[in-house]
Amino acid sequence: MRGGVTVRTLARPLTSISSRRDVGRSRGKMCGIFAFLNYNVARERRYILEVLFNGLRRLEYRGYDSSGIAIDADLRSPVAIDKGEGNDGGEEASRLPYNSAPPLVFRQEGKIESLVRSVYSEVDAMDLNLEKSFSVHAGIAHTRWATHGVPSPRNSHPQSSGACNEFLVVHNGIITNYEVLKETLIRHGFTFESETDTEVIPKLAKFVFDKARDEEGEQTVTFSQVVTEVMRQLEGAYALIFKSAHYPNELIACKRGSTLILGVKELSDDKNSGKLFHDVKALTKDEKPKELFFSSDLCAIVEHTKNYLAIEDNEVVHIKDGCVSILKFDYGREKPASVQRALSVLEMEVEQIKKGNYDHFMQKEIHEQPHSLTTTMRGRLKDNSVVLGGLKDHLKTIRHSRRIIFIGCGTSYNAALAARPFLEELSGIPVTMELASDLLDRQGPIYREDTAVFVSQSGETADTLLALEYALGNGALCVGVTNTVGSTLARRTHCGVHINAGCEIGVASTKAYTSQIVVMAMMALAIGADKISTQARREAIINGLSDLPKKVSEVLKLDGEMRDLAKSLIDTQSLLVFGRGYNYATALEGALKVKEVALMHSEGMLAGEMKHGPLALVDETLPIIVIATHDACFSKQQSVIQQLHARKGRLIVMCSEGDATSVCPMGSCRVIEVPQVADCLQPVINIIPMQLLAYHLTVLRGYDVDQPRNLAKSVTTE
Ligand code: AGP
């Protein structure tokens, strides 16, 4: 019998808990967690494995150095129980309930496919029946990007409470007080096998559970009581999924900081087709067949269901007997309160997470930019004006700001840099740029009179979120520009704009970059909309925006040409990219793309700085790309080209269509001609040949396009 015991009496706090509970102070590692629970519907073990593997494949972009899963074993025979033999044998197993057996855990170093191969070979070796059917079953899975401990099976998740896997945990995030918890648990007789921060969690769960059982008797504590007591001890940021042999066919998920989604698919009796739920309440007393999912990301859920819930911080979601109950954990309260949440309907198509006819996600995402840009602008350009619903109530405050600060990392920073000149021009407000990590290192001044614009595709980048907490603390108006609905950035900023570029899976950001620039150009138009003096300019840009997807389709026709250029650069060691004005950002972003995926040294430079050092590098061998499309800086770029020529530089010039002879007299250099658009929108066009070049260089050099070495999509660690 379970229930009836307050957790407080079960386990005194293991450690004194510091007051540092602010999620913004620490983020986690980049990992993906996933779980699948089928209820009242027969699913074979092979099917369950494939759902788990597929969930991991969808999340692999978040980390790809090791992975693992846990599924149920076959029930122990009465003889084995009498002898106290579980999967691992011994006394521990005899403490499991009679209808339970230690779950099976598989962990492997390397990419998901290496886990898949090892699982099938292990189940074969142990003669596990893959055709065995479960009418209810709970499986958990994890893909890792190592921070604590090298990639290895031992450090992979699920992490376990001990020999019998009584409690298993998959974790995305970081436990900042794990060392002190570990010391305490070691003093209580626990032994640790991994170098991870995560391992303290299942061990803590076992400690809490054992203490309750010893004090109150068999099975007096519920799974959610165990988990809330564990949460009480943890500091840091996390999304966790728990599976336990003591609570078979149940799952618990909880979070602080890291994103976690619940997906719900009700199955009709006939064809197992999906049907809508509207409220989690509807799931509290319901024996209908269904499948439930937990995931770090909507991408892993969309192929199963469109009904989801973005779990909020401190919520504990418990799935038991086909019902979902949600508790709100509160440090100050002994008993967490029960909460009701409505399910949302996902506006994402399965095609978004599939490669379709493309070889790689990066390739697909480059080529779908005419479409993603159309979606970014949909419903936002009206009668020569821009309507941004998420900003309109704050435009007045922004216009009265003393300064606008763009804050981001990597590609998102570059997108903001591309938008900066136009925002300065239309708003008349000084616009400064901050790399999030540098702002934090310096603790740079931010004031109440500032508007801080945070740009992030994922909305989960640790440095950007920490900078956001810092700016919030200093009283600035905080605006978010993100691709991820429900992300921490979207939730923590005062207002903002979603870029609506669709799911971006390739680690190298491509379509998000161009959509970010377009959103920030629209922001500039909205902020500057009260100025009569710039009306004609604004109207011209709005027309240019409407035309942009067509121009992007045109520039994508350079694909073959970029492949040829990549062939000519395949063996070079290094590449320089010079840009200025609107296209300084193009130089930085083009070089970032090349170094990130093609693993070739590449530097983007401000052309105005050329004579102040970089010119010394120029010789006949080093390839240099100069961005010289038609804008106010054109004549200056012509002069740069001449100077590079004079030093016999190996030049590749990007220019506007029809300008080839003026940038490259006598055909002395290679030319990339691109369609001309309004100057402030030209970075959207100019980056595309660079994206194509990086893509082809990577394929030709034989590297992994979508999952470049050492990187992951969401950098959720400082
Ligand atoms: C882009 O190609 C990179 N993978 C990286 O620079 C990225 O833009 C950066 O980590 C910021 O990510 P965010 O936009 O999700 O915040």
Side-chain angles (χ1 to χ4, degrees), residues 26-29 147-148 171-176 197 235-238 258 717:
S26 61
R27 303 289 304 169
K29 48 190 169 274
T147 53
H148 291 72
H171 171 208
N172 174 32
I174 194 160
I175 303 302
T176 48
D197 53 331
E235 293 179 16
Y238 52 79
S258 309
T717 187

Side-chain angles (χ1 to χ4, degrees), residues 33-37 59 140-141 240-242 251-254 260-263 292-297 300-301 311 317-319 324:
I33 62 177
F34 185 79
F36 170 51
L37 189 148
L59 297 175
I140 58 174
L240 302 170
I241 307 173
F242 290 78
L251 283 179
I252 293 207
C254 60
L260 191 58
I261 305 288
L262 165 73
L292 298 134
F293 307 85
F294 287 119
S295 172
S296 301
D297 195 315
I301 281 180
I311 300 169
V317 181
H318 187 180
I319 306 177
V324 178

Side-chain angles (χ1 to χ4, degrees), residues 113 186 467 528 542:
E113 292 319 314
I186 288 171
I542 291 173

Side-chain angles (χ1 to χ4, degrees), residues 409-412 455-459 461 507-509 592-593 596 715:
C409 307
T411 291
S412 293
V455 188
S456 171
Q457 188 284 132
S458 61
T461 300
V507 166
S509 188
L592 176 61
K593 287 289 89 86
E596 177 180 24
V715 186

Side-chain angles (χ1 to χ4, degrees), residues 89-316:
E91 192 190 327
E92 293 286 324
S94 68
R95 288 168 69 93
L96 295 178
Y98 277 101
N99 60 349
S100 182
L104 299 170
V105 174
F106 302 90
R107 300 183 295 204
Q108 187 56 256
E109 188 182 330
K111 298 207 169 173
I112 305 302
E113 292 319 314
S114 102
L115 174 74
V116 174
R117 280 192 299 276
S118 77
V119 169
Y120 281 121
S121 101
E122 275 188 62
V123 297
D124 199 33
M126 67 173 79
D127 216 13
L128 197 70
N129 181 5
L130 290 180
E131 272 51 69
K132 182 181 163 66
S133 187
F134 296 81
S135 66
V136 53
H137 179 279
I140 58 174
H142 185 272
T143 183
R144 178 169 186 254
W145 189 86
T147 53
H148 291 72
V150 293
S152 66
R154 184 168 48 90
N155 289 329
S156 307
H157 303 199
Q159 284 289 309
S160 171
S161 57
C164 280
N165 298 331
E166 286 169 73
F167 288 90
L168 292 165
V169 169
V170 287
H171 171 208
N172 174 32
I174 194 160
I175 303 302
T176 48
N177 64 336
Y178 82 100
E179 278 163 333
V180 66
L181 289 172
K182 190 169 173 173
E183 276 168 29
T184 313
L185 286 162
I186 288 171
R187 276 203 303 278
H188 281 85
F190 285 86
T191 50
F192 283 74
E193 62 157 338
S194 79
E195 296 151 77
T196 67
D197 53 331
T198 305
E199 196 179 353
V200 295
I201 306 171
K203 293 200 156 58
L204 202 48
K206 178 169 161 50
F207 176 81
V208 171
F209 177 84
D210 286 350
K211 201 157 169 28
R213 186 165 55 182
D214 293 345
E215 287 175 5
E216 311 290 339
E218 193 72 16
Q219 295 295 300
T220 52
V221 61
T222 64
F223 201 2
S224 52
Q225 283 174 314
V226 173
V227 171
T228 47
E229 184 55 20
V230 169
M231 281 179 87
R232 204 177 291 285
Q233 313 298 336
L234 299 180
E235 293 179 16
Y238 52 79
L240 302 170
I241 307 173
F242 290 78
K243 174 177 169 67
S244 172
H246 294 288
Y247 304 96
N249 305 323
E250 296 180 37
L251 283 179
I252 293 207
C254 60
K255 79 165 212 96
R256 281 187 72 220
S258 309
T259 304
L260 191 58
I261 305 288
L262 165 73
V264 179
K265 180 180 184 182
E266 191 185 16
L267 302 161
S268 65
D269 294 338
D270 47 357
K271 283 186 179 163
N272 286 355
S273 60
K275 194 180 136 192
L276 278 188
F277 274 106
H278 294 293
D279 201 325
V280 171
K281 214 178 352 184
L283 292 171
T284 49
K285 280 199 170 48
D286 180 3
E287 298 205 339
K288 286 186 196 143
K290 60 182 75 78
E291 292 180 329
L292 298 134
F293 307 85
F294 287 119
S295 172
S296 301
D297 195 315
L298 288 163
C299 290
I301 281 180
V302 62
E303 63 204 274
H304 301 289
T305 178
K306 292 202 166 185
N307 301 309
Y308 78 98
L309 177 82
I311 300 169
E312 290 188 355
D313 279 353
N314 294 320
E315 285 182 345
V316 180

Side-chain angles (χ1 to χ4, degrees), residues 27 408-410 412 436 455-468 487-489 713-718:
R27 303 289 304 169
C409 307
S412 293
V455 188
S456 171
Q457 188 284 132
S458 61
E460 300 294 347
T461 300
D463 289 330
T464 308
L465 293 180
L466 289 169
L468 168 60
S487 60
T488 310
L489 188 90
K713 185 79 179 159
S714 313
V715 186
T716 55
T717 187
E718 273 178 86

